[in-house]
Amino acid sequence: RNDIVFINLHDDEVTSDDAAKRILLEHGGLLIEIENNAQRNIRFKLDRYFYKVDPNRIFAEEGIKRSLEQLGRTSGRAVDEVEKLGQRILQLIPSDATCVVALHNNTPDLFSALEYTPGNKRSADTKKVYINAEEDADDFFLTTDNGLYEKLADKGFNTILQDNKNCTEDGSLSVYCGKKNIRYVNCETEHGKAEQYYEMMKTLLIILQKK
């Protein structure tokens, strides 16, 4: 099957990748992943200079420029080459895919669902947010689709609905999918929480198969 497409952009986020491969063995699907020596950011040489870019910031020119600048240096040619990589990844997604599932992990105290709650860093990018006080805020879903948001929140998962029209253009895959009206969901847990990730993915797959 290739209607559900899993994408692993950060090669250091192995918990999510391993759980997705378990799901693939059981149910099928398509996995697109960047192999990058277990590193988060991509380092490359161009015209005698080295550059670094976050591979989840390569789906819009604005995001590419900002990522290159933040991680070291930028140039017109470097932006063009990174943009080609982003376009190549997008070309690998079948045109009839029903959902793009991004595979991510985070580090405690650095990033969580709480950033999307009112008054916090990413609240302006958010249309709806559900936080389950009994669950770890580091374990959550973010989606571009209201139907998925409602179903995942109803299962008790921390869930964020992206504001597809007004979210900041940072070059991420979620923003790209939101603007292109592609159904997208990011499943995210702390590094190392393999069983938690697997259970979240199983629930997500059941929901997707019912739609």
Side-chain angles (χ1 to χ4, degrees):
R1 64 184 305 166
N2 61 10
D3 55 326
I4 299 173
V5 180
F6 303 94
I7 297 187
N8 176 228
L9 296 171
H10 294 138
D11 199 33
D12 63 334
E13 297 179 2
V14 296
T15 300
S16 59
D17 192 47
D18 290 346
K21 286 174 180 174
R22 285 177 65 187
I23 294 290
L24 286 166
L25 286 171
E26 295 168 4
H27 302 281
L30 174 66
L31 171 63
I32 300 166
E33 62 179 336
I34 292 178
E35 294 183 350
N36 186 35
N37 298 314
Q39 300 297 308
R40 174 184 178 87
N41 298 317
I42 294 174
R43 183 174 184 261
F44 62 100
K45 188 177 183 181
L46 185 67
D47 296 333
R48 297 182 294 114
Y49 294 106
F50 284 99
Y51 298 85
K52 275 188 181 180
V53 69
D54 182 336
N56 195 31
R57 295 292 182 268
I58 65 175
F59 302 101
E61 184 177 344
E62 186 177 345
I64 294 170
K65 288 179 179 177
R66 187 179 302 121
S67 181
L68 286 168
E69 288 169 357
Q70 289 175 343
L71 294 174
R73 67 171 74 238
T74 187
S75 72
R77 248 197 99 195
V79 171
D80 290 343
E81 291 303 312
V82 173
E83 191 170 25
K84 289 177 187 176
L85 174 61
Q87 290 301 310
R88 177 59 184 144
I89 291 169
L90 294 173
Q91 288 169 2
L92 294 173
I93 301 173
S95 59
D96 58 350
T98 59
C99 189
V100 172
V101 182
L103 311 173
H104 286 286
N105 297 120
N106 58 57
T107 302
D109 302 322
L110 292 182
F111 180 60
S112 78
L114 298 179
E115 290 196 14
Y116 297 89
T117 56
N120 286 314
K121 184 178 178 182
R122 298 173 186 264
S123 60
D125 298 331
T126 309
K127 202 165 189 179
K128 297 180 185 176
V129 59
Y130 170 76
I131 301 294
N132 184 343
E134 296 181 359
E135 295 291 326
D136 188 338
D138 293 326
D139 307 333
F140 64 92
F141 288 102
L142 180 146
T143 183
T144 60
D145 182 84
N146 185 68
L148 275 180
Y149 169 84
E150 297 292 346
K151 288 180 171 62
L152 289 166
D154 188 58
K155 294 289 186 182
F157 295 112
N158 298 315
T159 312
I160 297 120
L161 178 63
Q162 178 176 276
D163 187 338
N164 297 329
K165 290 185 178 180
N166 300 308
C167 58
T168 304
E169 178 54 88
D170 60 2
S172 64
L173 187 59
S174 69
V175 173
Y176 175 87
C177 289
K179 293 185 182 301
K180 296 293 184 180
N181 200 31
I182 297 169
R183 190 155 51 132
Y184 164 102
V185 57
N186 168 20
C187 181
E188 182 134 7
T189 71
E190 289 179 20
H191 288 283
K193 296 178 72 170
E195 284 305 312
Q196 171 73 12
Y197 204 99
Y198 175 69
E199 292 302 321
M200 289 172 69
M201 290 287 286
K202 274 206 312 186
T203 303
L204 172 63
L205 198 67
I206 290 169
I207 291 171
L208 289 173
Q209 289 174 332
K210 287 181 178 178
K211 286 181 72 71

